[in-house]
Amino acid sequence: MKLFSRTKDTHTGRQLVLLVEGMHCSSCGLLIDDELEDIAGVRSSSTDVKAGRTTIRLEEGADVDSAILVAALQQAGDYTARPAD
């Protein structure tokens, strides 16, 4: 689990944003980030609890279906998610 990054992320891979409901505190955000970062092809996840969204950066060339990410959130806790428009 990475709490702080001292280097600027210049990653150019694809980015996905999910709208997430059911988060109550910063621990929810950390749990979601940890769960998503365990998925092959996910480089990083950054969850904003107040905004109700998580931004997922994928590895260059990775093809991760958003349905896999949504299912991972449902396994992590009582969260519902959908891709942002």
Side-chain angles (χ1 to χ4, degrees), residues 21-52:
E21 295 180 9
M23 297 184 291
H24 304 287
C25 62
S26 59
S27 292
C28 292
L30 292 173
L31 176 67
I32 287 170
D33 290 340
D34 283 347
E35 190 71 27
L36 292 173
E37 289 173 355
D38 284 344
I39 297 172
V42 173
R43 178 186 170 114
S44 67
S45 173
S46 177
T47 300
D48 184 334
V49 175
K50 289 183 180 181

Side-chain angles (χ1 to χ4, degrees), residues 9 40 83:
D9 189 358

